[in-house]
Amino acid sequence: MTQPPNWPPRGGFDRHIPLPPEQPPTPVQGPPQQQPADDGDGRPGAFGGTGTGTGTSSGSGTSSGTGTGAKLSPRSPLVLIAAGVVALALVVGGVTYLSTSGGDDPGAGAAGPADGDKSDGIDGPAAERPPADPAARPSLRLPAPKVAKRQVDSVRGSWLIDGTYAKAGVNQIAGYDAATGRKTWTLPLSGQTCAGTAGVTDDGLAAVVSEAGKRAKNHRPRPCTQITVFDVNTGDKLWTKTVRQGTKDRRFEELSLSGNTLAAGGGFDGGAAFDIKSGRILWQPDTGACEDVGYRGGARLVAVRKCGAYGKETYDVQLLDPTTGGPKWSYKLPAGSADVKVLSTRPVVFGVGTGHDAARTINDILTVDDNGKLTSKIAIDHKKYDFTCEVGKTEGCAKLTVGNGRVYLATRQHAVSGRSKSAARTSGTTNEIVSYSLETGKPTGDRVEGGDHDIFPLRMDGGHLLAFKTGAYDKGSEVATIDPRTMKQRTLLETPATATVRNAISGMAPGEAGAELHYAKGNLFIGRSVIGAPYADDGARYTALGFTTD
């Protein structure tokens, strides 16, 4: 394969009322479908009233090694089977990348009130301000396309920017006005999406990797080889490209952004990086006994590199120069480490799984300084903390986030003394968000009470922590902003408390690994990454739900 100019070998070298009409899925072929007045099943709209009626809402004001050479053989079939089983289980259980963002979230907002100061360890001011009334109305309900029985379709990828929400569908991406849910553009794709960038560039560009063609009648997935970059605001396509490897195109399963560098990895064939505007290949890692299995972008670009035969793999975490691919340092993990999850790139924080369940969990959280030296290690008690990770994904963990020199985690539900105030808590259980210091590896004493809700970290907003709250029997779900010094909560948005809305949100499983959960400037969107035949009359019938306080 001809290498691009300046190609460096790596490794061996140093949302109250009114309710909008339901948005029908756009057919892959043929004219657009007519929008139904009901939910498409012959009965009144599930969110209350008819498709254009009204709903109610409830609001409250309230260390180091050196890089290794070459590329690894393809991943074990056992890993592929496990990934497929997990994806199917998410559909059957009602699931949706989520978009739980770390402290280096590329989609974080602009500056807000001066309530943060780097001098005391807080990561800066917050952009999200609590509204006078956080009660939200539904803005979008996007029905899931029909899926063949016992089949799973991939609709990975969603983005929220400048008043536009974009969501991948079957063989396409569509853009919607964030406040009204009106479709504003459609971008056809070669096939079903396999992955999308977590965020966008400063000028609104995002990318997806999709299958090489539409699935045949046997519904067998096609190779994930087609990378497409597009403008989220307009739906305009900048370019589509494949990377040739011998007689075949390289396959990818993850995309990451760092500045104008788009890094593609997570497949069987190593990685590659592009200039996101031109599509020019910037670099490709060398091949041989090692491979780049995935990347995480944001403030910086971090690679996870694997070497050795199946069952004897070793892993390195590397901080890369995004324009050349050269490692600035490399941290070698002990033997027995597996399925590394990068949680943040500034600082570099990653989780490591070990043992039989390593593919979908984290046993230890490690922090590495700017010289590639280990600064702290936090052992994770799985009986105490509630988070989930996707199999084979470098960025695929939910319910934990990094910021303010801490890692924030949700605890599991546990018993509380006294009688619960909510009927949803008849068993007397609750949970909290707590944190550990990345400098010392010890608990900080931070504590955010979930109360009648289940609560988990969503993303950082400067130094403020954004949390998602759901599960209460008689209340809507909430997005809250949490002051990093006092741990005081203020509500940014609360969804309607109707049973139909609560059931729909629950069916979307917003806290699961692979979920797509976005909040910005009074707009909340919950989306699916995979879809299957609906198993019940709830969120499984939708590809995305939106709510707004506008």
Side-chain angles (χ1 to χ4, degrees):
M1 176 169 54
T2 303
Q3 302 297 349
N6 301 319
W7 170 78
R10 292 235 348 266
F13 292 73
D14 241 25
R15 349 215 158 331
H16 280 309
I17 315 174
L19 179 70
E22 186 174 76
Q23 287 277 357
T26 302
V28 176
Q29 296 179 345
Q33 298 174 352
Q34 183 178 358
Q35 295 189 6
D38 56 28
D39 276 340
D41 56 5
R43 64 178 190 82
F47 279 50
T50 63
T52 56
T54 61
T56 62
S57 62
S58 172
S60 59
T62 44
S63 173
S64 74
T66 57
T68 52
K71 287 282 167 201
L72 182 65
S73 58
R75 295 180 179 177
S76 164
L78 293 177
V79 174
L80 299 180
I81 293 171
V85 170
V86 170
L88 182 57
L90 294 179
V91 174
V92 174
V95 142
T96 69
Y97 127 7
L98 158 49
S99 188
T100 13
S101 304
D104 58 346
D105 174 26
D115 51 5
D117 185 347
K118 289 280 188 178
S119 65
D120 63 359
I122 303 305
D123 284 346
E128 303 294 349
R129 305 187 184 193
D133 183 0
R137 61 173 174 81
S139 58
L140 177 70
R141 44 181 177 152
L142 187 62
K146 290 184 178 180
V147 176
K149 192 174 182 180
R150 298 188 181 90
Q151 299 296 336
V152 175
D153 282 347
S154 177
V155 289
R156 285 185 176 270
S158 59
W159 305 264
L160 177 59
I161 179 176
D162 296 336
T164 296
Y165 173 69
K167 179 74 187 88
V170 178
N171 306 325
Q172 67 172 16
I173 304 171
Y176 303 88
D177 182 282
T180 67
R182 179 179 60 88
K183 183 183 289 187
T184 56
W185 55 262
T186 302
L187 174 63
L189 296 172
S190 58
Q192 296 186 23
T193 56
C194 312
T197 55
V200 301
T201 63
D202 290 341
D203 48 358
L205 303 181
V208 292
V209 57
S210 55
E211 295 179 5
K214 295 177 176 60
R215 295 183 181 181
K217 290 184 178 180
N218 62 12
H219 214 71
R220 181 173 297 175
R222 306 286 296 275
C224 299
T225 59
Q226 310 285 314
I227 296 177
T228 298
V229 171
F230 64 99
D231 187 314
V232 176
N233 286 307
T234 66
D236 294 334
K237 182 173 72 173
L238 269 71
W239 52 267
T240 296
K241 179 165 289 191
T242 58
V243 179
R244 202 69 176 168
Q245 184 178 37
T247 59
K248 297 182 179 180
D249 292 329
R250 282 194 174 190
R251 295 164 290 179
F252 303 108
E253 294 176 353
E254 286 188 287
L255 297 175
S256 299
L257 282 172
S258 184
N260 286 323
T261 295
L262 172 65
F268 303 90
D269 307 318
F274 308 81
D275 178 275
I276 193 168
K277 294 185 178 181
S278 68
R280 177 174 62 90
I281 296 178
L282 298 175
W283 46 267
Q284 298 177 59
D286 53 337
T287 58
C290 301
E291 69 174 353
D292 284 6
V293 296
Y295 305 95
R296 180 169 183 137
R300 297 187 289 188
L301 184 63
V302 171
V304 175
R305 192 160 175 82
K306 179 171 66 175
C307 301
Y310 173 68
K312 298 181 179 180
E313 304 96 333
T314 61
Y315 290 84
D316 293 87
V317 175
Q318 298 181 331
L319 178 65
L320 306 183
D321 182 324
T323 59
T324 69
K328 297 181 178 181
W329 52 253
S330 182
Y331 180 83
K332 190 173 185 62
L333 290 167
S337 303
D339 215 69
V340 181
K341 309 291 187 183
V342 181
L343 308 178
S344 169
T345 63
R346 178 174 287 157
V348 176
V349 183
F350 53 93
V352 181
T354 57
H356 71 281
D357 201 33
R360 62 174 62 92
T361 192
I362 290 174
N363 298 95
D364 297 295
I365 294 176
L366 287 73
T367 303
V368 178
D369 66 17
D370 287 345
N371 296 313
K373 304 293 185 180
L374 181 69
T375 59
S376 70
K377 179 179 178 180
I378 304 167
I380 301 300
D381 183 350
H382 296 283
K383 294 181 180 180
K384 184 175 181 180
Y385 299 110
D386 180 23
F387 61 90
T388 56
C389 299
E390 287 192 277
V391 174
K393 302 292 184 181
T394 302
E395 299 188 21
C397 293
K399 295 189 178 180
L400 74 170
T401 195
V402 172
N404 299 330
R406 297 164 167 83
V407 57
Y408 294 94
L409 302 130
T411 68
R412 291 191 181 276
Q413 288 290 319
H414 58 85
V416 293
S417 60
R419 186 172 182 82
S420 173
K421 295 180 181 180
S422 169
R425 299 293 186 234
T426 54
S427 60
T429 61
T430 189
N431 85 315
E432 302 83 29
I433 294 174
V434 298
S435 74
Y436 283 80
S437 168
L438 298 177
E439 181 179 359
T440 67
K442 297 179 179 180
T444 64
D446 292 341
R447 188 179 184 88
V448 183
E449 302 286 347
D452 290 338
H453 291 85
D454 297 327
I455 188 170
F456 61 86
L458 174 56
R459 66 171 174 88
M460 298 304 297
D461 174 29
H464 277 55
L465 174 66
L466 298 192
F468 192 80
K469 303 169 68 175
T470 189
Y473 172 76
D474 56 353
K475 298 179 181 179
S477 296
E478 298 179 12
V479 177
T481 180
I482 299 166
D483 186 289
R485 298 177 182 84
T486 66
M487 294 292 105
K488 180 180 178 181
Q489 305 178 45
R490 298 182 67 187
T491 303
L492 295 172
L493 177 147
E494 183 175 3
T495 65
T498 61
T500 49
V501 173
R502 295 198 311 270
N503 290 341
I505 292 175
S506 176
M508 301 293 282
E512 294 296 327
E516 298 176 351
L517 187 57
H518 299 277
Y519 175 83
K521 299 179 181 179
N523 294 297
L524 170 68
F525 289 90
I526 310 170
R528 294 183 169 283
S529 58
V530 290
I531 54 175
Y535 70 94
D537 187 19
D538 58 15
R541 301 171 57 246
Y542 298 101
T543 300
L545 298 173
F547 302 90
T548 184
T549 58
D550 287 351

